Amino acid sequence: MPRLGSHRRRLPEILRLLALAYPDAHCELDFQTPFELLVATVLSAQCTDRRVNMVTSRLFPRLTGPKSLVEMGVDRLAEEIRDVGLFRAKARALVSLSEDLIRLHGGQVPADRQALEALAGVGKKTASVVLANAFAIPALAVDTHVFRVSHRLGLASAKSPEKTAAELMEIVPPDDWISFHHQLIAHGRQVCHARSPACATCTLLPLCPDGRRRTASPAVR
Ligand code: SF4
C-alpha cells in the first residue's frame, strides 16, 4: 500500500474537503445569549444536542440570566432539566456557576478563557465552546466526535481530549479552529460513525490512514 504523506502535508486538503462537504456546519445547541450557551453546554455533557434543545426550549423562556437561575434553586431547576442525564449534578453546577457569574462578573459571561475556566464546573471544553460560538474567539473544543475523527485521520495521537486539542491547535490555523471543530462533528455524526464508519463513501478516504486500513484503499500522495 503506498504511504500517506505526513499529517501536516495532508491537512490543507482535509480542511478543503471538510469545508466543501459541510459548508454550513455550526453549533447545534440553540441559544440567544452567551449565558444560554453556557447553560446549554453544561447540560450537553453525556447528552445529545437534540435532547438539550428540547429541555432548553422550555427552560430558557423562564430565565433572564444568572440571577433568575439562582432564584430558581437547585431542586426546581433539577425538575426542569430532568430529561438530561445527571440532572441533579448539572443543576447544582449551574446554580454554582451562576452565583460565580453574579459575584465575579456582574452577571455577565466573560469573553476570556481564564475567567471562564475559573467558574464553578467550567472546564476547557465548555470554555472553548462558549468562546467560539458566543464570541467568535478562535477555540477548538474536542468532544467525542472530534477526538475520534481526528485520531482516525492521523491528525492527533494524544490520549486525552485536552492534549488532543493542543495537538490540533498546533497544526490547524487559528482562523480554521471554529469551522474545523463543527465540520469534524458533522463528519463524525454523518459518516465517520463510532462503530462502523462509512469509509467506502467517505470523501476523506484517500487521506485517511485508518480508512485505508479498513478498506485497503490507495492513497493520494
Ligand atoms: S475514511 Fe473512514 S475512518 Fe477515515 S474519516 Fe472517513 S469514515 Fe472516518
Side-chain angles (χ1 to χ4, degrees):
M1 191 184 292
R3 291 182 53 143
L4 279 171
S6 73
H7 61 306
R8 285 183 192 275
R9 198 169 146 206
R10 287 180 286 121
L11 183 65
E13 184 62 0
I14 290 173
L15 293 177
R16 191 184 74 79
L17 291 173
L18 283 171
L20 269 181
Y22 309 103
D24 301 321
H26 61 277
C27 179
E28 300 280 346
L29 294 170
D30 294 337
F31 68 97
Q32 300 280 336
T33 65
F35 178 66
E36 288 187 355
L37 178 59
L38 183 54
V39 171
T41 307
V42 169
L43 293 178
S44 72
Q46 296 179 47
C47 185
T48 64
D49 290 353
R50 181 181 294 197
R51 187 166 283 268
V52 172
N53 290 339
M54 197 181 75
V55 167
T56 56
S57 69
R58 297 191 303 254
L59 176 67
F60 286 164
R62 297 182 213 179
L63 291 181
T64 51
K67 187 161 175 286
S68 59
L69 192 145
V70 171
E71 284 167 359
M72 194 176 265
V74 171
D75 289 343
R76 217 178 108 214
L77 180 60
E79 275 305 304
E80 297 279 344
I81 64 170
R82 63 178 304 125
D83 287 335
V84 301
L86 309 171
F87 62 91
R88 189 152 288 284
K90 287 176 182 176
R92 278 196 296 270
L94 286 171
V95 168
S96 295
L97 81 83
S98 296
E99 286 169 347
D100 280 357
L101 285 175
I102 294 165
R103 189 167 50 84
L104 300 170
H105 303 287
Q108 300 297 309
V109 175
D112 174 82
R113 175 174 295 281
Q114 214 179 342
L116 280 168
E117 289 182 15
L119 298 170
V122 175
K124 279 191 189 312
K125 177 174 159 260
T126 298
S128 294
V129 169
V130 171
L131 288 173
N133 297 294
F135 301 111
I137 294 173
L140 209 166
V142 171
D143 71 351
T144 178
H145 299 294
V146 175
F147 186 89
R148 180 178 73 256
V149 181
S150 63
H151 279 68
R152 285 178 175 170
L153 284 166
L155 299 177
S157 58
K159 297 272 188 286
S160 71
E162 289 76 21
K163 287 184 178 157
T164 297
E167 285 182 339
L168 293 175
M169 287 189 287
E170 260 303 297
I171 57 170
V172 177
D175 284 352
D176 292 324
W177 288 353
I178 297 175
S179 54
F180 181 69
H181 162 84
H182 293 312
Q183 288 158 3
L184 279 198
I185 290 175
H187 195 61
R189 284 182 174 149
Q190 295 177 33
V191 181
C192 193
H193 310 119
R195 291 219 177 104
S196 42
C199 301
T201 54
C202 176
T203 186
L204 301 178
L205 174 60
L207 299 153
C208 177
D210 196 61
R212 288 178 67 218
R213 269 194 298 276
R214 290 168 190 269
T215 62
S217 161
V220 166
R221 306 218 57 188

